[in-house]
Amino acid sequence: MKDYQPELYGFLLAIGLLNLWYLTGVAIEESVLPKNYDFVIKFFTVGVGGFAGAYSAFKLKSYQDRLSEEQRRVSALNWALFILIRKYNAIENMKASMDKYERPFDRAFSLPAMVPAPYDELKIEVNELSFLVDFDKANFLMELSLEQDRFRQAMRAIEIRNEFYVGEIQPALSHYALNGRPLPLAEFQEKLGERLFEGAINGAENMYEHVYKTSDTLDKMIQSFREVAKELYPGKKFVGWIKKT
């Protein structure tokens, strides 16, 4: 009933005014008061009725505006949650290929180049969630922005490793016929040289660190985001999510 208070108040006030108009007419007909009182009472009745109608319309418009703004905010929360889930899926797809290689050497020289997700479209417009500040969630908004930067860095680390691996490591492996050959590590390092060998090791290590860290933090962010959304709008539906196992 709370959502319909403006209409209810307007209806009750209208009924009251009709009764007042009727009783006033009866009283005036039987009254011995001067005729100008008739004008005053009718003027008062019309004035109050007009004010009541305008006030009810104002309250109704305010309610509709609040409802529209609430729907916009819920949509913004759902869209941001959807983007977070897509980012997590993108990271997990990369991570699934990376999990097959555990040794630093295998990560550097055996893990094939991967094609990262087109992450430019996986962007949350943080300004669309600026209303979180009104709910004392400014810190959460900052964490969301940092999480977005962390994902971008992870995708960039994949790109950098891919460029180095395809552009320099693979040609060198082919040149020295090192593909698939069980050579001693020292000989492998000697043939490639320090720059290529250490560059491959460090590039893979940096990529693994960023991807694994982002996978963990995105998981936590999605859970936190759904909790915040449900806290602010408990009666609304939000995008569901089941973590991959």
Side-chain angles (χ1 to χ4, degrees):
M1 292 298 295
K2 184 177 180 181
D3 292 340
Y4 298 96
Q5 282 183 353
E7 297 93 326
L8 181 60
Y9 291 159
F11 175 75
L12 293 176
L13 188 55
I15 294 297
L17 289 173
L18 286 174
N19 286 331
L20 177 62
W21 173 78
Y22 173 75
L23 294 174
T24 300
V26 173
I28 289 174
E29 288 181 0
E30 299 178 357
S31 175
V32 294
L33 295 175
K35 289 185 177 182
N36 59 346
Y37 275 71
D38 183 12
F39 172 78
V40 172
I41 292 176
K42 288 184 177 180
F43 178 81
F44 175 78
T45 302
V46 173
V48 170
F51 172 79
Y55 180 76
S56 297
F58 170 76
K59 294 294 290 184
L60 178 59
K61 181 64 166 59
S62 298
Y63 165 71
Q64 291 174 336
D65 289 344
R66 287 198 305 272
L67 183 61
S68 177
E69 177 63 15
E70 180 180 280
Q71 291 174 338
R72 186 195 70 79
R73 291 179 174 186
V74 169
S75 295
L77 289 170
N78 262 318
W79 181 249
L81 184 57
F82 177 67
I83 292 298
L84 284 175
I85 293 174
R86 287 186 62 192
K87 287 184 175 184
Y88 180 79
N89 287 335
I91 282 289
E92 288 301 292
N93 288 336
M94 299 291 104
K95 187 171 173 287
S97 297
M98 297 164 61
D99 285 341
K100 301 174 183 177
Y101 304 90
E102 297 182 359
R103 297 190 308 161
F105 180 87
D106 293 332
R107 291 178 173 183
F109 300 103
S110 299
L111 174 65
M114 299 180 296
V115 180
Y119 59 88
D120 286 342
E121 67 180 35
L122 301 181
K123 182 180 179 181
I124 297 174
E125 298 296 338
V126 179
N127 62 304
E128 293 292 326
L129 301 173
S130 60
F131 62 86
L132 290 174
V133 176
D134 299 333
F135 293 95
D136 295 327
K137 301 293 183 182
N139 289 339
F140 181 79
L141 195 62
M142 179 61 68
E143 291 174 9
L144 184 63
S145 180
L146 292 175
E147 189 62 47
Q148 188 155 265
D149 291 340
R150 187 177 293 113
F151 175 83
R152 191 159 44 237
Q153 290 173 358
M155 291 294 105
R156 182 55 184 155
I158 294 174
E159 288 182 345
I160 292 174
R161 188 268 175 175
N162 286 352
E163 291 170 1
F164 187 69
Y165 183 78
V166 173
E168 299 196 47
I169 299 301
Q170 280 189 332
L173 293 176
S174 297
H175 177 74
Y176 294 107
L178 298 175
N179 286 313
R181 292 182 59 190
L183 296 175
L185 184 62
E187 183 178 348
F188 200 95
Q189 184 174 3
E190 179 183 354
K191 288 183 177 296
L192 286 181
E194 182 178 357
R195 189 184 74 84
L196 290 181
F197 186 84
E198 294 298 331
I201 295 290
N202 293 335
E205 181 66 22
N206 183 60
M207 177 183 66
Y208 269 79
E209 180 180 352
H210 278 290
V211 169
Y212 277 61
K213 177 64 174 178
T214 303
S215 173
D216 181 57
T217 56
L218 268 174
D219 176 20
K220 295 176 181 178
M221 174 56 68
I222 291 171
Q223 297 181 46
S224 298
F225 196 96
R226 293 195 83 247
E227 290 174 2
V228 168
K230 286 182 172 294
E231 174 190 342
L232 300 183
Y233 299 102
K236 301 299 182 179
K237 294 182 179 180
F238 293 96
V239 177
W241 176 69
I242 300 176
K243 181 180 178 180
K244 292 182 178 180
T245 56

